[in-house]
Amino acid sequence: MPLLQIEDDGFRLDGAPFRILSGGLHYFRVHPGLWHDRLHKARLMGLNTVETYVPWNLHQPRPDEFRMDGGLDLPRFLDLAAAEGLHVLLRPGPYICAEWEGGGLPSWLLADPAMRLRSRDPHFLAAVDDYFGRLLPPLHDRLATRGGPVLAVQVENEYGAYGDDTAYLEHLADSLHRHGVDVPLFTCDQPADLERGALPGVLATANFGSRSAAHLATLRTARPSGPLLCTEFWIGWFDRWGGNHVVRGAEQASQELDELLATGASVNFYMFHGGTNFGFMNGANDKHTYRPTVTSYDYDAPLDEAGDPTEKFGAFREVIAKYAAVPVEFPPARAEKFTLETVELTESVGLLDAAPALGDAVASHRPLTMEELRQDYGFVLYEAELPDAGPALLEVEQVRDRAQVFLDGQPVGVLEREGHEHSLTFTVPRPGSVLTVLVENQGRVNYGQGIHDRKGLLGSVLLNGDPLAGWTSRPLPLTSIKDVPFGTGPATPTGPAFYRGTFEADRTADTFLHLDGWTKGNAWVNGFALGRHWSRGPQRSLYVPGPVLRRGANEVVVLELHAPGRDRKVAFRDTPDLGPVED
């Protein structure tokens, strides 16, 4: 592979003028069986490069464990990009934002109550250096200096929106170099944050979605010479629970792209293909009110969540063709989908009944946080005996993020961080009644100072004004559902429950799971975690990648936290429902 050179008048590739035409494609948001398809379509739109973040929290789930296999086989993804003739912009963090759980920072960092993320805290820097030492050596052969596709590597991510400690950025750049990165480095920031986030001697780039000429002029003021690159050209946006589905018209986005390319600048679409926040991996924002992101990361991108070209694909291809050669080949309009209108979920078991099989309870004088339980995602089940009968006021200092409260197994209310709800009243029927609190981590905050986002019941828990002691805390990470004991509870459970059904498939095509009438929870197909569902919307279906299905018998499991759909049925349809469009 040729080498990227950063010159006063722009990029060069082995001495020849070069414009980066790139698109965001996060390998961890796409089933690995579909990586080749998405990369091929990137080239067909006229891109010569793809960009990806690297999620530290998935690759290093525990300090002593590192993964780079299956859906995290980054070397394979890079090799597939190279085979397609694509270069790569690599963004390894340590912080990535990306509307991803915790901005990609592993939750075990927060087990240290004094931890200061994205800073020169020695404990944080030691963890980052260890991460780079595990991640980067297997990627050396994929750097352009060794014949690989990786042209450049990013230092941190939009740091100027968070802090202004240049020494912190210098440490990260030095660490990248110490661990073998010898291709050009770059930073990226929104135009107003360029001075705080830039690093002397490192290419500075800007993120924006409109007013390209003005924002590039701001970048040129900050850096009077060198290439102009928009590292995140926002051509869509993400959705949050309780909002509408955000779209941006193809015509407007194409005009903005044309304006950008007319300046001679390089570009990276954010996103070319958004993909999916599978499992529990969506992030959240908290600007005085907590707002979790939905499962879909469709992003109104040129390729939709299922990898089918949208109107933007053709529109952007036409604009790119004005400035660079595009392939003659054009991808098919839409791939065939698997459909099955009715699947009945005949088996079930209550979550409270199943809990002992899914996690071990830990006794303590107060509720333990997820981080203290060495738990990353999912739920925690807290229990305590109440000493007296009669009226009761329960007050919880901090709910992170949604708590369903039960008394002797019967629901008495819900406390939500998003609604700033902290107290409930109920009547205790007898001394020794069991208070049960099921707390859901709805996604750690991925942007701003709120990234220090510990989960569970935090701070004091009071009953009628007095501290309530004598708790057990049971982690329910649900990283696997193979131990769910179906058939051990009542035929029709009340409250949170797992439901399971089987269905036959004649092909392994993509499809969309629709949960009409269901309320809130999670879903799995053949053990693959699809993500969260919530009738609150906007999203009302879940994307099922074709490679997850099997010819013949298949299994679908739904965790429903409230009420199941009518007749306990779900459907697989050929189109998604991402909700009403934002005006």
mmCIF file with all atom_site columns, all heavy atoms in Angstrom, residues 384-408:
data_model
loop_
_atom_site.group_PDB
_atom_site.id
_atom_site.type_symbol
_atom_site.label_atom_id
_atom_site.label_alt_id
_atom_site.label_comp_id
_atom_site.label_asym_id
_atom_site.label_entity_id
_atom_site.label_seq_id
_atom_site.pdbx_PDB_ins_code
_atom_site.Cartn_x
_atom_site.Cartn_y
_atom_site.Cartn_z
_atom_site.occupancy
_atom_site.B_iso_or_equiv
_atom_site.pdbx_formal_charge
_atom_site.auth_seq_id
_atom_site.auth_comp_id
_atom_site.auth_asym_id
_atom_site.auth_atom_id
_atom_site.pdbx_PDB_model_num
ATOM 1   N N   . ALA A 1 384 ? -33.915 -6.446  50.023 1.00 0.00 ? 384 ALA A N   1
ATOM 2   C CA  . ALA A 1 384 ? -33.741 -6.194  51.457 1.00 0.00 ? 384 ALA A CA  1
ATOM 3   C C   . ALA A 1 384 ? -35.060 -6.483  52.156 1.00 0.00 ? 384 ALA A C   1
ATOM 4   O O   . ALA A 1 384 ? -36.138 -6.276  51.591 1.00 0.00 ? 384 ALA A O   1
ATOM 5   C CB  . ALA A 1 384 ? -33.329 -4.745  51.709 1.00 0.00 ? 384 ALA A CB  1
ATOM 6   N N   . GLU A 1 385 ? -34.976 -6.969  53.409 1.00 0.00 ? 385 GLU A N   1
ATOM 7   C CA  . GLU A 1 385 ? -36.174 -7.179  54.208 1.00 0.00 ? 385 GLU A CA  1
ATOM 8   C C   . GLU A 1 385 ? -36.540 -5.881  54.920 1.00 0.00 ? 385 GLU A C   1
ATOM 9   O O   . GLU A 1 385 ? -35.672 -5.167  55.429 1.00 0.00 ? 385 GLU A O   1
ATOM 10  C CB  . GLU A 1 385 ? -35.956 -8.293  55.232 1.00 0.00 ? 385 GLU A CB  1
ATOM 11  C CG  . GLU A 1 385 ? -35.910 -9.678  54.621 1.00 0.00 ? 385 GLU A CG  1
ATOM 12  C CD  . GLU A 1 385 ? -35.971 -10.761 55.688 1.00 0.00 ? 385 GLU A CD  1
ATOM 13  O OE1 . GLU A 1 385 ? -36.103 -10.410 56.890 1.00 0.00 ? 385 GLU A OE1 1
ATOM 14  O OE2 . GLU A 1 385 ? -35.896 -11.949 55.326 1.00 0.00 ? 385 GLU A OE2 1
ATOM 15  N N   . LEU A 1 386 ? -37.849 -5.609  54.966 1.00 0.00 ? 386 LEU A N   1
ATOM 16  C CA  . LEU A 1 386 ? -38.327 -4.393  55.617 1.00 0.00 ? 386 LEU A CA  1
ATOM 17  C C   . LEU A 1 386 ? -38.736 -4.710  57.051 1.00 0.00 ? 386 LEU A C   1
ATOM 18  O O   . LEU A 1 386 ? -39.440 -5.701  57.302 1.00 0.00 ? 386 LEU A O   1
ATOM 19  C CB  . LEU A 1 386 ? -39.492 -3.806  54.834 1.00 0.00 ? 386 LEU A CB  1
ATOM 20  C CG  . LEU A 1 386 ? -39.190 -3.512  53.353 1.00 0.00 ? 386 LEU A CG  1
ATOM 21  C CD1 . LEU A 1 386 ? -40.368 -2.832  52.678 1.00 0.00 ? 386 LEU A CD1 1
ATOM 22  C CD2 . LEU A 1 386 ? -37.937 -2.651  53.217 1.00 0.00 ? 386 LEU A CD2 1
ATOM 23  N N   . PRO A 1 387 ? -38.303 -3.892  58.003 1.00 0.00 ? 387 PRO A N   1
ATOM 24  C CA  . PRO A 1 387 ? -38.486 -4.253  59.421 1.00 0.00 ? 387 PRO A CA  1
ATOM 25  C C   . PRO A 1 387 ? -39.912 -4.104  59.937 1.00 0.00 ? 387 PRO A C   1
ATOM 26  O O   . PRO A 1 387 ? -40.302 -4.825  60.872 1.00 0.00 ? 387 PRO A O   1
ATOM 27  C CB  . PRO A 1 387 ? -37.547 -3.287  60.146 1.00 0.00 ? 387 PRO A CB  1
ATOM 28  C CG  . PRO A 1 387 ? -37.424 -2.108  59.217 1.00 0.00 ? 387 PRO A CG  1
ATOM 29  C CD  . PRO A 1 387 ? -37.508 -2.665  57.835 1.00 0.00 ? 387 PRO A CD  1
ATOM 30  N N   . ASP A 1 388 ? -40.698 -3.192  59.364 1.00 0.00 ? 388 ASP A N   1
ATOM 31  C CA  . ASP A 1 388 ? -41.996 -2.883  59.958 1.00 0.00 ? 388 ASP A CA  1
ATOM 32  C C   . ASP A 1 388 ? -43.096 -2.879  58.904 1.00 0.00 ? 388 ASP A C   1
ATOM 33  O O   . ASP A 1 388 ? -42.859 -2.644  57.723 1.00 0.00 ? 388 ASP A O   1
ATOM 34  C CB  . ASP A 1 388 ? -41.961 -1.506  60.640 1.00 0.00 ? 388 ASP A CB  1
ATOM 35  C CG  . ASP A 1 388 ? -40.891 -1.423  61.707 1.00 0.00 ? 388 ASP A CG  1
ATOM 36  O OD1 . ASP A 1 388 ? -40.874 -2.293  62.589 1.00 0.00 ? 388 ASP A OD1 1
ATOM 37  O OD2 . ASP A 1 388 ? -40.065 -0.489  61.637 1.00 0.00 ? 388 ASP A OD2 1
ATOM 38  N N   . ALA A 1 389 ? -44.325 -3.124  59.347 1.00 0.00 ? 389 ALA A N   1
ATOM 39  C CA  . ALA A 1 389 ? -45.503 -2.990  58.494 1.00 0.00 ? 389 ALA A CA  1
ATOM 40  C C   . ALA A 1 389 ? -45.992 -1.553  58.524 1.00 0.00 ? 389 ALA A C   1
ATOM 41  O O   . ALA A 1 389 ? -45.649 -0.781  59.412 1.00 0.00 ? 389 ALA A O   1
ATOM 42  C CB  . ALA A 1 389 ? -46.596 -3.948  58.963 1.00 0.00 ? 389 ALA A CB  1
ATOM 43  N N   . GLY A 1 390 ? -46.817 -1.198  57.527 1.00 0.00 ? 390 GLY A N   1
ATOM 44  C CA  . GLY A 1 390 ? -47.440 0.118   57.505 1.00 0.00 ? 390 GLY A CA  1
ATOM 45  C C   . GLY A 1 390 ? -46.972 0.978   56.354 1.00 0.00 ? 390 GLY A C   1
ATOM 46  O O   . GLY A 1 390 ? -46.245 0.520   55.458 1.00 0.00 ? 390 GLY A O   1
ATOM 47  N N   . PRO A 1 391 ? -47.390 2.241   56.314 1.00 0.00 ? 391 PRO A N   1
ATOM 48  C CA  . PRO A 1 391 ? -47.013 3.152   55.232 1.00 0.00 ? 391 PRO A CA  1
ATOM 49  C C   . PRO A 1 391 ? -45.499 3.313   55.165 1.00 0.00 ? 391 PRO A C   1
ATOM 50  O O   . PRO A 1 391 ? -44.819 3.383   56.204 1.00 0.00 ? 391 PRO A O   1
ATOM 51  C CB  . PRO A 1 391 ? -47.702 4.470   55.614 1.00 0.00 ? 391 PRO A CB  1
ATOM 52  C CG  . PRO A 1 391 ? -48.778 4.084   56.569 1.00 0.00 ? 391 PRO A CG  1
ATOM 53  C CD  . PRO A 1 391 ? -48.280 2.886   57.312 1.00 0.00 ? 391 PRO A CD  1
ATOM 54  N N   . ALA A 1 392 ? -44.997 3.399   53.921 1.00 0.00 ? 392 ALA A N   1
ATOM 55  C CA  . ALA A 1 392 ? -43.550 3.491   53.750 1.00 0.00 ? 392 ALA A CA  1
ATOM 56  C C   . ALA A 1 392 ? -43.224 4.492   52.643 1.00 0.00 ? 392 ALA A C   1
ATOM 57  O O   . ALA A 1 392 ? -43.906 4.561   51.622 1.00 0.00 ? 392 ALA A O   1
ATOM 58  C CB  . ALA A 1 392 ? -42.960 2.121   53.408 1.00 0.00 ? 392 ALA A CB  1
ATOM 59  N N   . LEU A 1 393 ? -42.163 5.267   52.875 1.00 0.00 ? 393 LEU A N   1
ATOM 60  C CA  . LEU A 1 393 ? -41.603 6.161   51.859 1.00 0.00 ? 393 LEU A CA  1
ATOM 61  C C   . LEU A 1 393 ? -40.193 5.684   51.550 1.00 0.00 ? 393 LEU A C   1
ATOM 62  O O   . LEU A 1 393 ? -39.323 5.688   52.431 1.00 0.00 ? 393 LEU A O   1
ATOM 63  C CB  . LEU A 1 393 ? -41.580 7.604   52.370 1.00 0.00 ? 393 LEU A CB  1
ATOM 64  C CG  . LEU A 1 393 ? -40.803 8.610   51.498 1.00 0.00 ? 393 LEU A CG  1
ATOM 65  C CD1 . LEU A 1 393 ? -41.452 8.766   50.126 1.00 0.00 ? 393 LEU A CD1 1
ATOM 66  C CD2 . LEU A 1 393 ? -40.679 9.965   52.201 1.00 0.00 ? 393 LEU A CD2 1
ATOM 67  N N   . LEU A 1 394 ? -39.996 5.255   50.307 1.00 0.00 ? 394 LEU A N   1
ATOM 68  C CA  . LEU A 1 394 ? -38.676 4.817   49.852 1.00 0.00 ? 394 LEU A CA  1
ATOM 69  C C   . LEU A 1 394 ? -38.026 5.969   49.099 1.00 0.00 ? 394 LEU A C   1
ATOM 70  O O   . LEU A 1 394 ? -38.607 6.514   48.159 1.00 0.00 ? 394 LEU A O   1
ATOM 71  C CB  . LEU A 1 394 ? -38.806 3.597   48.939 1.00 0.00 ? 394 LEU A CB  1
ATOM 72  C CG  . LEU A 1 394 ? -37.494 3.047   48.346 1.00 0.00 ? 394 LEU A CG  1
ATOM 73  C CD1 . LEU A 1 394 ? -36.657 2.399   49.439 1.00 0.00 ? 394 LEU A CD1 1
ATOM 74  C CD2 . LEU A 1 394 ? -37.784 2.059   47.221 1.00 0.00 ? 394 LEU A CD2 1
ATOM 75  N N   . GLU A 1 395 ? -36.805 6.351   49.505 1.00 0.00 ? 395 GLU A N   1
ATOM 76  C CA  . GLU A 1 395 ? -36.064 7.427   48.845 1.00 0.00 ? 395 GLU A CA  1
ATOM 77  C C   . GLU A 1 395 ? -34.694 6.907   48.423 1.00 0.00 ? 395 GLU A C   1
ATOM 78  O O   . GLU A 1 395 ? -33.950 6.356   49.240 1.00 0.00 ? 395 GLU A O   1
ATOM 79  C CB  . GLU A 1 395 ? -35.898 8.613   49.795 1.00 0.00 ? 395 GLU A CB  1
ATOM 80  C CG  . GLU A 1 395 ? -37.203 9.254   50.225 1.00 0.00 ? 395 GLU A CG  1
ATOM 81  C CD  . GLU A 1 395 ? -36.985 10.331  51.251 1.00 0.00 ? 395 GLU A CD  1
ATOM 82  O OE1 . GLU A 1 395 ? -36.819 9.982   52.449 1.00 0.00 ? 395 GLU A OE1 1
ATOM 83  O OE2 . GLU A 1 395 ? -36.957 11.520  50.872 1.00 0.00 ? 395 GLU A OE2 1
ATOM 84  N N   . VAL A 1 396 ? -34.387 7.065   47.136 1.00 0.00 ? 396 VAL A N   1
ATOM 85  C CA  . VAL A 1 396 ? -33.112 6.611   46.577 1.00 0.00 ? 396 VAL A CA  1
ATOM 86  C C   . VAL A 1 396 ? -32.358 7.828   46.071 1.00 0.00 ? 396 VAL A C   1
ATOM 87  O O   . VAL A 1 396 ? -32.896 8.619   45.281 1.00 0.00 ? 396 VAL A O   1
ATOM 88  C CB  . VAL A 1 396 ? -33.333 5.608   45.427 1.00 0.00 ? 396 VAL A CB  1
ATOM 89  C CG1 . VAL A 1 396 ? -32.003 5.152   44.863 1.00 0.00 ? 396 VAL A CG1 1
ATOM 90  C CG2 . VAL A 1 396 ? -34.152 4.425   45.911 1.00 0.00 ? 396 VAL A CG2 1
ATOM 91  N N   . GLU A 1 397 ? -31.128 7.998   46.540 1.00 0.00 ? 397 GLU A N   1
ATOM 92  C CA  . GLU A 1 397 ? -30.380 9.199   46.176 1.00 0.00 ? 397 GLU A CA  1
ATOM 93  C C   . GLU A 1 397 ? -30.158 9.290   44.666 1.00 0.00 ? 397 GLU A C   1
ATOM 94  O O   . GLU A 1 397 ? -30.392 10.331  44.054 1.00 0.00 ? 397 GLU A O   1
ATOM 95  C CB  . GLU A 1 397 ? -29.038 9.212   46.919 1.00 0.00 ? 397 GLU A CB  1
ATOM 96  C CG  . GLU A 1 397 ? -28.248 10.488  46.707 1.00 0.00 ? 397 GLU A CG  1
ATOM 97  C CD  . GLU A 1 397 ? -27.003 10.542  47.592 1.00 0.00 ? 397 GLU A CD  1
ATOM 98  O OE1 . GLU A 1 397 ? -26.938 9.806   48.606 1.00 0.00 ? 397 GLU A OE1 1
ATOM 99  O OE2 . GLU A 1 397 ? -26.091 11.324  47.266 1.00 0.00 ? 397 GLU A OE2 1
ATOM 100 N N   . GLN A 1 398 ? -29.699 8.184   44.053 1.00 0.00 ? 398 GLN A N   1
ATOM 101 C CA  . GLN A 1 398 ? -29.465 8.189   42.606 1.00 0.00 ? 398 GLN A CA  1
ATOM 102 C C   . GLN A 1 398 ? -29.872 6.843   42.012 1.00 0.00 ? 398 GLN A C   1
ATOM 103 O O   . GLN A 1 398 ? -29.387 5.797   42.470 1.00 0.00 ? 398 GLN A O   1
ATOM 104 C CB  . GLN A 1 398 ? -27.994 8.453   42.272 1.00 0.00 ? 398 GLN A CB  1
ATOM 105 C CG  . GLN A 1 398 ? -27.496 9.828   42.655 1.00 0.00 ? 398 GLN A CG  1
ATOM 106 C CD  . GLN A 1 398 ? -26.088 10.073  42.164 1.00 0.00 ? 398 GLN A CD  1
ATOM 107 O OE1 . GLN A 1 398 ? -25.828 10.196  40.968 1.00 0.00 ? 398 GLN A OE1 1
ATOM 108 N NE2 . GLN A 1 398 ? -25.150 10.127  43.100 1.00 0.00 ? 398 GLN A NE2 1
ATOM 109 N N   . VAL A 1 399 ? -30.716 6.882   40.989 1.00 0.00 ? 399 VAL A N   1
ATOM 110 C CA  . VAL A 1 399 ? -31.104 5.681   40.239 1.00 0.00 ? 399 VAL A CA  1
ATOM 111 C C   . VAL A 1 399 ? -30.388 5.729   38.903 1.00 0.00 ? 399 VAL A C   1
ATOM 112 O O   . VAL A 1 399 ? -30.570 6.656   38.130 1.00 0.00 ? 399 VAL A O   1
ATOM 113 C CB  . VAL A 1 399 ? -32.632 5.623   40.015 1.00 0.00 ? 399 VAL A CB  1
ATOM 114 C CG1 . VAL A 1 399 ? -32.993 4.436   39.146 1.00 0.00 ? 399 VAL A CG1 1
ATOM 115 C CG2 . VAL A 1 399 ? -33.356 5.559   41.345 1.00 0.00 ? 399 VAL A CG2 1
ATOM 116 N N   . ARG A 1 400 ? -29.579 4.726   38.640 1.00 0.00 ? 400 ARG A N   1
ATOM 117 C CA  . ARG A 1 400 ? -28.835 4.660   37.383 1.00 0.00 ? 400 ARG A CA  1
ATOM 118 C C   . ARG A 1 400 ? -29.106 3.337   36.670 1.00 0.00 ? 400 ARG A C   1
ATOM 119 O O   . ARG A 1 400 ? -28.394 2.378   36.858 1.00 0.00 ? 400 ARG A O   1
ATOM 120 C CB  . ARG A 1 400 ? -27.334 4.785   37.660 1.00 0.00 ? 400 ARG A CB  1
ATOM 121 C CG  . ARG A 1 400 ? -26.912 6.088   38.329 1.00 0.00 ? 400 ARG A CG  1
ATOM 122 C CD  . ARG A 1 400 ? -26.928 7.247   37.343 1.00 0.00 ? 400 ARG A CD  1
ATOM 123 N NE  . ARG A 1 400 ? -26.454 8.487   37.969 1.00 0.00 ? 400 ARG A NE  1
ATOM 124 C CZ  . ARG A 1 400 ? -25.185 8.884   38.003 1.00 0.00 ? 400 ARG A CZ  1
ATOM 125 N NH1 . ARG A 1 400 ? -24.247 8.110   37.468 1.00 0.00 ? 400 ARG A NH1 1
ATOM 126 N NH2 . ARG A 1 400 ? -24.842 10.014  38.564 1.00 0.00 ? 400 ARG A NH2 1
ATOM 127 N N   . ASP A 1 401 ? -30.199 3.160   35.835 1.00 0.00 ? 401 ASP A N   1
ATOM 128 C CA  . ASP A 1 401 ? -30.885 4.293   35.277 1.00 0.00 ? 401 ASP A CA  1
ATOM 129 C C   . ASP A 1 401 ? -32.408 4.158   35.433 1.00 0.00 ? 401 ASP A C   1
ATOM 130 O O   . ASP A 1 401 ? -33.108 5.151   35.389 1.00 0.00 ? 401 ASP A O   1
ATOM 131 C CB  . ASP A 1 401 ? -30.565 4.414   33.784 1.00 0.00 ? 401 ASP A CB  1
ATOM 132 C CG  . ASP A 1 401 ? -29.076 4.591   33.540 1.00 0.00 ? 401 ASP A CG  1
ATOM 133 O OD1 . ASP A 1 401 ? -28.487 5.544   34.087 1.00 0.00 ? 401 ASP A OD1 1
ATOM 134 O OD2 . ASP A 1 401 ? -28.477 3.761   32.842 1.00 0.00 ? 401 ASP A OD2 1
ATOM 135 N N   . ARG A 1 402 ? -32.882 2.943   35.583 1.00 0.00 ? 402 ARG A N   1
ATOM 136 C CA  . ARG A 1 402 ? -34.325 2.723   35.665 1.00 0.00 ? 402 ARG A CA  1
ATOM 137 C C   . ARG A 1 402 ? -34.573 1.591   36.640 1.00 0.00 ? 402 ARG A C   1
ATOM 138 O O   . ARG A 1 402 ? -34.026 0.489   36.466 1.00 0.00 ? 402 ARG A O   1
ATOM 139 C CB  . ARG A 1 402 ? -34.897 2.384   34.289 1.00 0.00 ? 402 ARG A CB  1
ATOM 140 C CG  . ARG A 1 402 ? -36.427 2.322   34.227 1.00 0.00 ? 402 ARG A CG  1
ATOM 141 C CD  . ARG A 1 402 ? -36.873 2.122   32.776 1.00 0.00 ? 402 ARG A CD  1
ATOM 142 N NE  . ARG A 1 402 ? -38.315 2.274   32.626 1.00 0.00 ? 402 ARG A NE  1
ATOM 143 C CZ  . ARG A 1 402 ? -39.189 1.276   32.721 1.00 0.00 ? 402 ARG A CZ  1
ATOM 144 N NH1 . ARG A 1 402 ? -38.772 0.033   32.976 1.00 0.00 ? 402 ARG A NH1 1
ATOM 145 N NH2 . ARG A 1 402 ? -40.480 1.488   32.558 1.00 0.00 ? 402 ARG A NH2 1
ATOM 146 N N   . ALA A 1 403 ? -35.386 1.852   37.662 1.00 0.00 ? 403 ALA A N   1
ATOM 147 C CA  . ALA A 1 403 ? -35.605 0.873   38.727 1.00 0.00 ? 403 ALA A CA  1
ATOM 148 C C   . ALA A 1 403 ? -37.072 0.477   38.787 1.00 0.00 ? 403 ALA A C   1
ATOM 149 O O   . ALA A 1 403 ? -37.947 1.337   38.917 1.00 0.00 ? 403 ALA A O   1
ATOM 150 C CB  . ALA A 1 403 ? -35.159 1.444   40.071 1.00 0.00 ? 403 ALA A CB  1
ATOM 151 N N   . GLN A 1 404 ? -37.322 -0.826  38.686 1.00 0.00 ? 404 GLN A N   1
ATOM 152 C CA  . GLN A 1 404 ? -38.661 -1.367  38.932 1.00 0.00 ? 404 GLN A CA  1
ATOM 153 C C   . GLN A 1 404 ? -38.681 -1.906  40.358 1.00 0.00 ? 404 GLN A C   1
ATOM 154 O O   . GLN A 1 404 ? -37.827 -2.716  40.743 1.00 0.00 ? 404 GLN A O   1
ATOM 155 C CB  . GLN A 1 404 ? -38.975 -2.480  37.937 1.00 0.00 ? 404 GLN A CB  1
ATOM 156 C CG  . GLN A 1 404 ? -39.096 -1.977  36.499 1.00 0.00 ? 404 GLN A CG  1
ATOM 157 C CD  . GLN A 1 404 ? -39.266 -3.115  35.510 1.00 0.00 ? 404 GLN A CD  1
ATOM 158 O OE1 . GLN A 1 404 ? -38.386 -3.391  34.709 1.00 0.00 ? 404 GLN A OE1 1
ATOM 159 N NE2 . GLN A 1 404 ? -40.414 -3.784  35.558 1.00 0.00 ? 404 GLN A NE2 1
ATOM 160 N N   . VAL A 1 405 ? -39.658 -1.471  41.131 1.00 0.00 ? 405 VAL A N   1
ATOM 161 C CA  . VAL A 1 405 ? -39.701 -1.785  42.559 1.00 0.00 ? 405 VAL A CA  1
ATOM 162 C C   . VAL A 1 405 ? -40.844 -2.757  42.834 1.00 0.00 ? 405 VAL A C   1
ATOM 163 O O   . VAL A 1 405 ? -41.980 -2.567  42.345 1.00 0.00 ? 405 VAL A O   1
ATOM 164 C CB  . VAL A 1 405 ? -39.880 -0.501  43.388 1.00 0.00 ? 405 VAL A CB  1
ATOM 165 C CG1 . VAL A 1 405 ? -39.840 -0.816  44.881 1.00 0.00 ? 405 VAL A CG1 1
ATOM 166 C CG2 . VAL A 1 405 ? -38.793 0.522   43.031 1.00 0.00 ? 405 VAL A CG2 1
ATOM 167 N N   . PHE A 1 406 ? -40.543 -3.798  43.624 1.00 0.00 ? 406 PHE A N   1
ATOM 168 C CA  . PHE A 1 406 ? -41.514 -4.842  43.955 1.00 0.00 ? 406 PHE A CA  1
ATOM 169 C C   . PHE A 1 406 ? -41.543 -5.031  45.471 1.00 0.00 ? 406 PHE A C   1
ATOM 170 O O   . PHE A 1 406 ? -40.524 -4.879  46.155 1.00 0.00 ? 406 PHE A O   1
ATOM 171 C CB  . PHE A 1 406 ? -41.135 -6.171  43.290 1.00 0.00 ? 406 PHE A CB  1
ATOM 172 C CG  . PHE A 1 406 ? -40.953 -6.083  41.805 1.00 0.00 ? 406 PHE A CG  1
ATOM 173 C CD1 . PHE A 1 406 ? -39.722 -5.697  41.265 1.00 0.00 ? 406 PHE A CD1 1
ATOM 174 C CD2 . PHE A 1 406 ? -41.991 -6.368  40.924 1.00 0.00 ? 406 PHE A CD2 1
ATOM 175 C CE1 . PHE A 1 406 ? -39.546 -5.594  39.896 1.00 0.00 ? 406 PHE A CE1 1
ATOM 176 C CE2 . PHE A 1 406 ? -41.817 -6.286  39.559 1.00 0.00 ? 406 PHE A CE2 1
ATOM 177 C CZ  . PHE A 1 406 ? -40.588 -5.898  39.039 1.00 0.00 ? 406 PHE A CZ  1
ATOM 178 N N   . LEU A 1 407 ? -42.707 -5.406  45.958 1.00 0.00 ? 407 LEU A N   1
ATOM 179 C CA  . LEU A 1 407 ? -42.875 -5.737  47.369 1.00 0.00 ? 407 LEU A CA  1
ATOM 180 C C   . LEU A 1 407 ? -43.481 -7.130  47.436 1.00 0.00 ? 407 LEU A C   1
ATOM 181 O O   . LEU A 1 407 ? -44.596 -7.358  46.941 1.00 0.00 ? 407 LEU A O   1
ATOM 182 C CB  . LEU A 1 407 ? -43.780 -4.712  48.053 1.00 0.00 ? 407 LEU A CB  1
ATOM 183 C CG  . LEU A 1 407 ? -43.816 -4.739  49.584 1.00 0.00 ? 407 LEU A CG  1
ATOM 184 C CD1 . LEU A 1 407 ? -42.421 -4.510  50.162 1.00 0.00 ? 407 LEU A CD1 1
ATOM 185 C CD2 . LEU A 1 407 ? -44.793 -3.710  50.110 1.00 0.00 ? 407 LEU A CD2 1
ATOM 186 N N   . ASP A 1 408 ? -42.725 -8.065  48.002 1.00 0.00 ? 408 ASP A N   1
ATOM 187 C CA  . ASP A 1 408 ? -43.132 -9.475  48.019 1.00 0.00 ? 408 ASP A CA  1
ATOM 188 C C   . ASP A 1 408 ? -43.513 -9.948  46.610 1.00 0.00 ? 408 ASP A C   1
ATOM 189 O O   . ASP A 1 408 ? -44.501 -10.661 46.404 1.00 0.00 ? 408 ASP A O   1
ATOM 190 C CB  . ASP A 1 408 ? -44.290 -9.694  48.992 1.00 0.00 ? 408 ASP A CB  1
ATOM 191 C CG  . ASP A 1 408 ? -43.862 -9.538  50.446 1.00 0.00 ? 408 ASP A CG  1
ATOM 192 O OD1 . ASP A 1 408 ? -42.662 -9.738  50.735 1.00 0.00 ? 408 ASP A OD1 1
ATOM 193 O OD2 . ASP A 1 408 ? -44.719 -9.205  51.282 1.00 0.00 ? 408 ASP A OD2 1
#
